[in-house]
Amino acid sequence: MALFVHKYGGTSMGSTERIRNVAKRVAKWARAGHQMVVVPSAMSGETNRLLALAKELTPSHATTAYFRELDMLAATGEQASSALLAIALQAEGMPAVSYTGWQVPVRTDSSYTKARIESIDDKRVRADLDAGKVVIITGFQGIDEGGNITTLGRGGSDTSAVAVAAAMKANECLIYTDVDGVYTTDPRVVPQARRLKTVSFEEMLEMASLGSKVLQIRSVEFAGKYKVPLRVLSSFTPWDIDINEEAKSGTLITFEEDEQMEQAVVSGIAFNRDETKISVLGVPDKPGIAYQILGPVADANIEVDVIIQNISKDGRTDFSFTVNHNDHARTLELLREKVVPALGAQEVVGDTAISKVSIVGIGMRSHVGVAAKMFRVLSEEGINIQMISTSEIKTSVVIEDKYLELAVRALHKAFDLDQPTA
Ligand code: ADP
Ligand code: ASP
Ligand code: MG
């Protein structure tokens, strides 16, 4: 008997009608003889609605006590959608039970709003499966050592699903969403984007970490660590399509390079609108500067992405890096209060009007001149590059955000991603 984990995103759970459809689809899989664990997201818009209520009460309040309550609050979205799905399954004549993260339990660390899953106890879930029930586990959340509810960061239900699949050694984890797979870039921005039948794990990891929100980065990390077979597919196909056809649809994340069907130099373009740039100006150019600036930032649990340090003039230099926009104000405050006075730097400035665009492809390993071509395409569009970062299979640039869509479209075309592969 096979075990499958299905994950349904917010749009797929967006109304009672859609929840009914999800229930019918899941019941179809269960009736085909499979054990089914389902991980739903909150109904679309619900997490935003809840977090906006908190903001109405206090615009910004960066204390642990506050973040704890945000998690208490946000976790209710998935509790509601999970119960609704269990009710819909029961209405279909399919025995079903739903559990919150703490009931399972899904154990996490205590980093509220961005907690990491540490372990999942599957005893209770197994017992229900063995009793013939579909088990629904809330996405996005867990419980820490102290018994506090935690959430896993926006888009975290993907990670819940893959972690459950890993813990239970599921045959496959299917991520049902509002697009029918992973595309060469976000199809909302480039309508000519093409669906990839397969994408290598490494490319998916880069794309997710560079901003392709179709999968949360940590879900891809989990899939890689535990070799969880992972597929992204549409929840908007008719629920009663042939199950074998459905099981082959969408995009499969592959772990073997020779399984790569589509060997383009660049496989995809990712972008991220959520980063902002922080520059510390007039820093004395001497050993230990990067550590003195970024040490306190890391201590405050703020993730830093692209970093550049300019050459020094008259013994001083400028040091810039990007952070998530949620951390922008906090980072500026921290640097102004602690770092600038200690370092004798001139000032700290922030720029929120930036975006990051990246090209990704395993083929970049064996081809030269790919980054140069990217820079040429951007220069032909008159787009100024503010920062660059590269790794073996990606090149990222930071540009002014008003040029983001232009840059993505131009690059998509220049790297022939509009063209069907042979
Ligand atoms: P869900 O609510 O199902 O988790 P998300 O909104 O988190 O859905 O992710 C799906 C969305 O990801 C799509 O609607 C699409 O706009 C966006 N997206 C970004 N990059 C890509 C990509 N490369 N391929 C497919 N979808 C992408
Ligand atoms: N509901 C959460 C969010 O909106 C988690 C998820 O949908 O994956 O971010
Ligand atoms: Mg998502």
Side-chain angles (χ1 to χ4, degrees):
M1 191 182 282
L3 168 66
F4 289 98
V5 176
H6 279 194
K7 181 259 171 177
Y8 291 89
T11 321
S12 312
M13 297 290 293
S15 62
T16 45
E17 165 117 25
R18 289 200 172 146
I19 292 175
R20 200 191 304 278
N21 259 295
V22 169
K24 286 181 190 293
R25 188 182 299 274
V26 171
K28 174 183 77 179
W29 280 71
R31 290 192 175 114
H34 302 310
Q35 291 194 318
M36 298 299 301
V37 177
V38 186
V39 178
S41 287
M43 295 171 78
S44 58
E46 180 62 6
T47 311
N48 287 344
R49 186 185 75 83
L50 292 166
L51 295 176
L53 291 176
K55 271 222 162 112
E56 269 179 37
L57 293 172
T58 168
S60 151
H61 199 63
T63 62
T64 308
Y66 172 68
F67 288 130
R68 180 193 183 278
E69 300 312 322
L70 281 187
D71 281 2
M72 258 313 261
L73 177 67
T76 63
E78 271 72 8
Q79 183 171 342
S81 62
S82 294
L84 289 170
L85 181 57
I87 291 168
L89 276 157
Q90 291 165 5
E92 292 298 320
M94 179 56 62
V97 59
S98 69
Y99 294 119
T100 60
W102 63 267
Q103 287 175 309
V104 173
V106 175
R107 298 218 175 271
T108 71
D109 65 16
S110 302
S111 314
Y112 298 120
T113 76
K114 42 184 163 187
R116 283 178 181 271
I117 295 180
E118 289 173 343
S119 66
I120 295 178
D121 183 348
D122 66 352
K123 258 192 246 86
R124 196 170 185 178
V125 178
R126 288 240 184 249
D128 287 319
L129 291 174
D130 292 341
K133 290 183 196 163
V134 170
V135 180
I136 299 154
I137 301 177
T138 50
F140 184 49
Q141 59 197 271
I143 187 164
D144 76 357
E145 232 182 9
N148 303 294
I149 290 177
T150 53
T151 68
L152 310 179
R154 300 306 305 265
S157 298
D158 296 332
T159 303
S160 306
V162 178
V164 167
M168 302 195 65
K169 301 196 170 41
N171 292 66
E172 193 169 282
C173 180
L174 296 94
I175 307 283
Y176 285 86
T177 183
D178 56 5
V179 279
D180 63 353
V182 178
Y183 277 66
T184 46
T185 193
D186 189 340
R188 285 181 214 267
V189 170
V190 183
Q192 295 81 6
R194 283 180 312 103
R195 179 171 62 84
L196 301 163
K197 281 202 197 73
T198 63
V199 62
S200 75
F201 158 72
E202 282 169 286
E203 286 169 327
M204 194 64 241
L205 194 63
E206 286 287 7
M207 283 180 52
S209 84
L210 296 167
S212 295
K213 298 213 165 103
V214 62
L215 285 178
Q216 200 204 31
I217 172 76
R218 285 190 190 155
S219 70
V220 189
E221 287 168 0
F222 256 103
K225 191 164 172 197
Y226 299 100
K227 295 285 176 298
V228 178
L230 185 61
R231 184 180 293 276
V232 176
L233 68 171
S234 172
S235 69
F236 291 152
T237 53
W239 69 266
D240 55 354
I241 62 166
D242 179 71
I243 195 168
N244 296 315
E245 189 188 321
E246 185 176 332
K248 283 188 294 198
S249 67
T251 301
L252 181 70
I253 288 68
T254 61
F255 296 97
E256 306 295 330
E257 254 181 64
D258 57 7
E259 272 182 40
Q260 270 292 105
M261 317 259 298
E262 307 185 27
Q263 272 291 8
V265 178
V266 171
S267 322
I269 297 173
F271 53 85
N272 190 346
R273 293 188 169 101
D274 297 341
E275 288 186 33
T276 65
K277 187 168 80 168
I278 310 268
S279 300
V280 189
L281 306 179
V283 193
D285 194 7
K286 57 180 193 207
I289 287 304
Y291 174 64
Q292 282 186 60
I293 295 174
L294 296 181
V297 175
D299 291 343
N301 204 10
I302 296 169
E303 265 174 53
V304 168
D305 184 25
V306 186
I307 304 170
I308 53 166
Q309 179 174 340
N310 288 339
I311 55 163
S312 67
K313 268 187 264 139
D314 314 322
R316 285 188 180 268
T317 183
D318 298 336
F319 188 94
S320 301
F321 58 94
T322 63
V323 294
N324 187 280
H325 68 93
N326 289 330
D327 293 323
H328 183 76
R330 205 151 62 96
T331 313
L332 281 178
E333 200 180 288
L334 181 83
L335 293 177
R336 284 190 181 129
E337 277 173 15
K338 293 211 180 134
V339 175
V340 168
L343 262 181
Q346 274 151 2
E347 61 173 323
V348 180
V349 291
D351 182 357
T352 52
I354 57 135
S355 286
K356 188 174 73 173
V357 183
S358 310
I359 55 174
V360 176
I362 281 189
M364 287 167 74
R365 277 191 189 131
S366 47
H367 289 75
V368 290
V370 183
K373 178 169 171 181
M374 179 188 201
F375 305 151
R376 173 171 58 74
V377 171
L378 295 175
S379 83
E380 281 167 4
E381 298 293 340
I383 300 172
N384 188 37
I385 299 172
Q386 302 181 16
M387 301 166 103
I388 299 173
S389 126
T390 65
S391 77
E392 219 186 358
I393 67 163
K394 70 117 206 273
T395 302
S396 303
V397 295
V398 171
I399 59 173
E400 200 179 335
D401 64 358
K402 69 180 183 196
Y403 296 120
L404 174 69
E405 297 202 357
L406 173 65
V408 174
R409 288 200 192 102
L411 292 167
H412 196 268
K413 190 152 195 286
F415 286 102
D416 293 329
L417 294 175
D418 302 359
Q419 307 300 322
T421 44

